[in-house]
Amino acid sequence: MTVNNSIDDHVHQAIQDFAWNRTLHQTLSTFIAVVGTILNLIAISVLVKGGLYRQSPFKFVLNLFVSNLFMCSVCLPIISSYTFSEHLENNGVCSFYGYIIYSILGTAVLNIVLISLNRYFLIVRFTLYRKIYTARNIRIMLAVVWTFYPILFLFPLSGIWGSFSYDRFRFICHPVHSSDGFRDFAFTITLLLTVPSILFCYIEILKKVNSTFRRVRNLQRAQARRLRNERQLVRTILVTIILFSCMNLPFIVLSIADPYMDKASLAAHGFVIYLGWSNAVINPMIYSILNNQIKSSLLDIIGKILKRNSRRIFPSEMPKLEIRVISLPLQESSVFVEVREIKYPN
């Protein structure tokens, strides 16, 4: 009897944990999807309307915002729909949804690498920057970034190597459980493409900026202005990389160490999953706060919107009142006036 009670308690606790886990995914996936979509749309609008996207460095920032927008407007709504239904995993499109989600996630990661390399050549190897970042080469870079992971995940999608299977705890179809070989290969190639390149770029950038900063007193005004711009770029991207690492590394490490979610608690897995997703919300906020060009463009757009709305509330052609005294009687207590509406040209 005691053993049966213990088993019943364990099953009851597992059911409660699963229900709580579903509620957590429902709430966070929906919230991050809505907020992230709005913020990334605003950030994209600022870059486009402000004309910043024409500059090479901002083309890669725009590309990052677009990938973050897809994460929030495509990936998270798919996960949210699974959390609100019990039977979507059997509807025949689970593998295709998983393919889309993991392709977009991989592309977002490569966009961070692309920005790091761009900043490296812009600050450390400026003489090579214009030769490398031509319009043609930029198109090739973006094409590679947006096709690399979609091609890679065709292997499990087609069943050639691995497969997509539904995870009822993560509410997503992924290739993690299907084949240890493909899982290890995917994680390894992701770490090799990201960590060494990002570390190399920012170590070299920091060394360059620090060495230049020591000679700042001997710089001319134009050189000093460029140094300030470089320091601003370093600060912005350094914050981006630090937050990206802090938000995504726990998910990567826990996914490798506990792929079947039988070691750590569901709460721990849920926390690191949405910590990673929330990076798509943080990125547009970082750039809007730390980058002066994006910030000024955003404030300019807000100013135009407020000015347009103020004209609607307070139209420019408002009627003016002309008051004339037409008679002054003997009694000091009463004065007769004529009020007439006139309009003056603006």
Side-chain angles (χ1 to χ4, degrees):
M1 182 66 68
T2 304
V3 175
N4 291 335
N5 290 337
S6 178
I7 294 175
D8 291 340
D9 292 340
H10 181 74
V11 172
H12 180 69
Q13 183 64 38
I15 293 174
Q16 285 185 329
D17 290 344
F18 182 73
W20 181 89
N21 181 61
R22 179 182 291 274
T23 302
L24 174 70
H25 281 263
Q26 288 174 341
T27 304
L28 293 181
S29 62
T30 304
F31 176 78
I32 296 175
V34 173
V35 176
T37 299
I38 293 173
L39 291 180
N40 282 285
L41 278 175
I42 293 174
I44 292 171
S45 300
V46 169
L47 291 181
V48 174
K49 291 185 177 180
L52 296 176
Y53 71 97
R54 297 187 183 94
Q55 304 176 32
S56 295
F58 287 107
K59 289 181 180 179
F60 298 104
V61 176
L62 176 62
N63 197 51
L64 175 64
F65 291 160
V66 171
S67 62
N68 288 340
L69 176 63
F70 285 154
M71 289 171 61
C72 296
S73 63
V74 177
C75 300
L76 283 168
I78 291 175
I79 296 175
S80 179
S81 65
Y82 275 92
T83 63
F84 284 97
S85 176
E86 298 283 349
H87 308 290
L88 282 178
E89 63 268 25
N90 299 320
N91 64 1
V93 294
C94 177
S95 297
F96 180 69
Y97 284 159
Y99 169 77
I100 292 175
I101 291 173
Y102 273 82
S103 296
I104 293 175
L105 284 174
T107 301
V109 172
L110 289 184
N111 280 326
I112 297 291
V113 177
L114 208 59
I115 290 176
S116 302
L117 291 171
N118 177 264
R119 297 314 189 256
Y120 167 77
F121 284 102
L122 181 63
I123 297 174
V124 181
R125 303 293 181 186
F126 186 71
T127 54
L128 298 175
Y129 185 82
R130 294 186 180 277
K131 296 179 181 179
I132 295 175
Y133 288 92
T134 61
R136 176 178 175 273
N137 289 344
I138 290 175
R139 287 194 294 269
I140 294 175
M141 294 175 192
L142 296 180
V144 170
V145 164
W146 282 95
T147 56
F148 180 82
Y149 276 100
I151 292 175
L152 176 64
F153 287 115
L154 281 175
F155 289 99
L157 180 65
S158 60
I160 297 175
W161 187 15
S163 62
F164 284 92
S165 59
Y166 182 73
D167 188 335
R168 64 191 185 95
F169 295 117
R170 294 187 178 97
F171 303 97
I172 186 177
C173 271
H174 58 72
V176 173
H177 294 171
S178 60
S179 169
D180 290 343
F182 180 82
R183 181 193 68 206
D184 295 341
F185 173 76
F187 279 125
T188 300
I189 197 170
T190 300
L191 290 175
L192 290 177
L193 287 174
T194 56
V195 176
S197 56
I198 291 174
L199 286 177
F200 170 78
C201 289
Y202 283 98
I203 290 174
E204 292 298 314
I205 288 173
L206 289 175
K207 288 166 58 178
K208 173 70 174 180
V209 173
N210 287 334
S211 63
T212 308
F213 182 70
R214 296 190 190 101
R215 297 180 283 109
V216 68
R217 294 182 179 178
N218 300 324
L219 294 178
Q220 298 178 356
R221 183 176 299 178
Q223 292 174 312
R225 187 183 304 113
R226 180 185 168 188
L227 175 62
R228 288 195 296 271
N229 292 336
E230 290 178 352
R231 292 181 64 194
Q232 180 193 78
L233 284 174
V234 172
R235 184 175 66 251
T236 303
I237 308 302
L238 195 59
V239 172
T240 304
I241 296 302
I242 291 174
L243 288 177
F244 174 82
S245 301
C246 293
M247 291 180 168
N248 288 279
L249 280 181
F251 167 73
I252 295 175
V253 171
L254 196 57
S255 297
I256 295 175
D258 187 19
Y260 299 99
M261 302 179 72
D262 54 0
K263 299 176 182 178
S265 64
L266 291 180
H269 280 277
F271 174 77
V272 299
I273 286 172
Y274 288 100
L275 183 65
W277 282 114
S278 62
N279 188 243
V281 178
I282 296 296
N283 283 335
M285 298 173 63
I286 293 174
Y287 281 93
S288 299
I289 294 172
L290 296 181
N291 189 282
N292 289 336
Q293 288 179 276
I294 296 179
K295 185 194 301 183
S296 61
S297 181
L298 174 62
L299 294 176
D300 182 60
I301 292 174
I302 293 175
K304 290 179 179 178
I305 294 174
L306 292 177
K307 187 176 180 180
R308 191 181 305 118
N309 291 336
S310 65
R311 287 178 177 176
R312 294 175 182 174
I313 300 174
F314 304 103
S316 56
E317 293 187 359
M318 294 185 66
K320 309 294 191 300
L321 297 179
E322 179 185 50
I323 303 177
R324 292 191 307 167
V325 178
I326 59 176
S327 63
L328 184 62
L330 296 177
Q331 295 86 350
E332 296 180 358
S333 60
S334 59
V335 176
F336 298 95
V337 298
E338 176 186 35
V339 180
R340 183 175 60 181
E341 178 179 308
I342 61 174
K343 289 186 178 180
Y344 295 105
N346 294 330

